[in-house]
């Protein structure tokens, strides 16, 4: 496994492989890797000759300085996990490398960035858009892999790539969960033992919405029913939305013909967690 900190040597390495006709898959991450990230790496390995994983905690996507400071970092463990899983290349740039230009450029994603994560984390998707654009331009992958866990991020990146015509295919990978249903997340490492137990409420609330919709309840009733599971025990709901999977607009009715996504964000103690499920109601 090759590890690069600088852009030029990475580009040269990839160029020589591209020249030999090898396909390249990119998995962008912020490190503190878990099975969710590894699933992206496995998908990339299946589809491509060379898998590149980037590990970079991107400061411009954090709207909260303490969250950035406290974000878990464990490069040695990350590298050994990646090596064991057969990743070919790891890109681990510093802030000086990624933001040499000290740019204050902004990208706007219209209605997609004003709901859910965008509403609660102002500026977040601008930072994501900038850093993913940089990574795509540096690595020039054939395919890039993103988790359904960050559904809004996936849609933002699809839009970025379509509108700016990046020559890359964006792939979505299913959510990997703990045995009790909690979506795997680097942030789970920061939960106290008690909060870890409480955090399963996010997934349970998503399933509750699904159950209520399948019983024939309307979206407002289903949402209100599941929302009662929060704001007790130190778990504060930020949002619980039933949305169209393509544009994240709130749906008024569910139908057999269309997928819906139920998306949730909540503070468990002082750790912010998100999750979602996508399904079609059969009722
Ligand atoms: P992060 O390191 O949190 O920025 O995540 C890097 C990538 O891994 C993103 O595309 C995430 O959506 C994806 N990811 C994070 N957690 C999971 C999970 N539990 N299952 C699948 N993909 C995930």
């Amino acid at each position: 496994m090759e590890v690069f900190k600088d852009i030029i040597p990475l580009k040269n390495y990839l160029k020589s492989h591209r020249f030999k006709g090898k396909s390249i898959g990119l998995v962008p991450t912020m490190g503190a890797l878990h099975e969710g990230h590894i699933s992206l790496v496995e998908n990339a390995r299946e589809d491509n000759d060379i898998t590149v994983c980037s590990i970079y905690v991107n400061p411009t996507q954090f709207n909260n300085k303490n969250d950035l400071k406290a974000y878990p970092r464990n490069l040695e463990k990350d590298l050994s996990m990646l090596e064991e899983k057969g990743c070919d290349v790891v890109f681990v740039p510093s802030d000086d490398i990624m933001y040499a230009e000290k740019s204050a450029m902004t990208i706007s994603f219209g209605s997609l960035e004003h709901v859910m994560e965008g509403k609660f984390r102002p500026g977040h998707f601008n930072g994501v858009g900038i850093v993913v654009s940089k990574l795509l331009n540096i690595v020039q992958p054939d395919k890039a892999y993103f988790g359904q866990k960050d559904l809004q991020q996936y849609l933002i990146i699809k839009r970025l790539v379509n509108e700016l015509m990046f020559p890359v295919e964006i792939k979505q990978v299913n959510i990997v969960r703990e045995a009790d249903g909690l979506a795997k997340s680097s942030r789970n490492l920061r939960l106290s033992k008690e909060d870890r137990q409480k955090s399963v409420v996010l997934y349970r609330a998503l399933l509750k919405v699904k159950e209520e919709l399948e019983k024939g309840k309307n979206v407002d009733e289903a949402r209100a029913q599941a929302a009662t599971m929060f704001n007790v025990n130190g778990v504060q709901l930020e949002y619980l939305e039933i949305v169209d999977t393509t544009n994240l607009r709130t749906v008024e009715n569910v139908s057999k013909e269309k997928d819906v996504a139920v998306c949730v964000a909540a503070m468990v103690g002082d750790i912010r967690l998100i999750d979602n499920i996508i399904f079609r109601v059969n009722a």
Side-chain angles (χ1 to χ4, degrees):
M1 188 173 79
E2 303 284 333
V3 181
F4 294 93
K5 291 184 174 159
D6 292 315
I7 294 173
I8 303 288
L10 169 68
K11 280 182 121 172
N12 287 338
Y13 179 86
L14 292 174
K15 204 177 185 176
S16 70
H17 285 280
R18 212 176 288 112
F19 187 68
K20 291 184 209 144
K22 305 276 187 205
S23 60
I24 297 170
L26 171 66
V27 177
T29 80
M30 298 204 297
L33 301 182
H34 50 69
E35 283 91 338
H37 299 111
I38 295 305
S39 163
L40 304 193
V41 169
E42 283 166 353
N43 275 268
R45 286 197 65 211
E46 255 170 51
D47 298 345
N48 302 280
D49 299 314
I50 307 271
T51 295
V52 181
C53 178
S54 61
I55 298 178
Y56 178 58
V57 183
N58 172 36
T60 65
Q61 72 187 67
F62 284 81
N63 57 318
N64 177 329
K65 279 207 177 101
N66 291 332
D67 190 24
L68 172 62
K69 220 166 128 195
Y71 198 84
R73 291 161 172 89
N74 201 339
L75 185 59
E76 240 170 74
K77 186 164 166 242
D78 290 349
L79 292 178
S80 66
M81 266 172 106
L82 289 171
E83 174 120 59
E84 194 196 320
K85 298 295 171 184
C87 183
D88 303 291
V89 176
V90 190
F91 180 44
V92 202
S94 63
D95 291 341
D96 287 343
I97 297 275
M98 289 303 276
Y99 288 97
E101 296 295 331
K102 306 267 180 275
S103 145
M105 192 181 162
T106 58
I107 313 181
S108 162
F109 296 96
S111 60
L112 265 187
E113 73 171 52
H114 298 307
V115 294
M116 301 196 308
E117 290 304 284
K119 188 163 153 194
F120 283 89
R121 303 182 70 189
H124 171 65
F125 288 119
N126 176 59
V128 169
I130 299 272
V131 81
V132 171
S133 300
K134 288 177 189 241
L135 290 169
L136 291 175
N137 281 330
I138 294 166
V139 175
Q140 294 174 38
D142 297 278
K143 297 187 171 81
Y145 295 78
F146 294 88
Q148 181 202 315
K149 161 97 185 334
D150 298 275
L151 177 64
Q152 193 168 6
Q153 168 174 279
Y154 164 78
L155 292 172
I156 291 259
I157 287 161
K158 284 282 275 186
R159 174 118 186 239
L160 176 83
V161 160
N162 286 342
E163 287 204 19
L164 298 184
M165 301 175 185
F166 279 93
V168 62
E169 189 183 332
I170 301 299
K171 302 281 243 179
Q172 191 181 53
V173 177
N174 292 340
I175 301 177
V176 179
R177 299 182 178 280
E178 301 288 353
D180 64 359
L182 175 68
K184 296 212 182 231
S185 165
S186 307
R187 287 192 165 87
N188 296 352
L189 292 172
R190 295 181 50 214
L191 292 166
S192 67
K193 208 170 157 204
E194 264 193 358
D195 285 344
R196 168 64 189 83
Q197 282 168 355
K198 293 176 189 169
S199 60
V200 74
V201 68
L202 277 85
Y203 185 54
R204 293 203 179 135
L206 297 176
L207 294 181
K208 182 75 184 164
V209 173
K210 182 169 186 259
E211 186 189 310
E212 295 297 313
L213 290 173
E214 275 168 356
K215 275 192 216 156
K217 296 268 174 69
N218 69 36
V219 289
D220 289 337
E221 288 167 338
R223 196 193 156 282
Q225 185 75 39
T228 63
M229 297 164 77
F230 294 91
N231 304 342
V232 282
N233 256 339
V235 182
Q236 298 299 319
L237 181 64
E238 279 194 355
Y239 63 78
L240 177 63
E241 304 284 354
I242 305 170
V243 296
D244 184 305
T245 51
T246 57
N247 56 26
L248 302 183
R249 288 205 194 106
T250 306
V251 297
E252 278 163 21
N253 300 297
V254 289
S255 84
K256 278 184 195 162
E257 279 77 49
K258 217 162 182 235
D259 283 348
V260 287
V262 187
C263 302
V264 66
M267 294 296 294
V268 182
D270 52 5
I271 310 300
R272 188 172 184 281
L273 299 178
I274 62 170
D275 198 356
N276 70 79
I277 53 173
I278 297 178
F279 57 92
R280 204 168 280 201
V281 175
N282 286 316

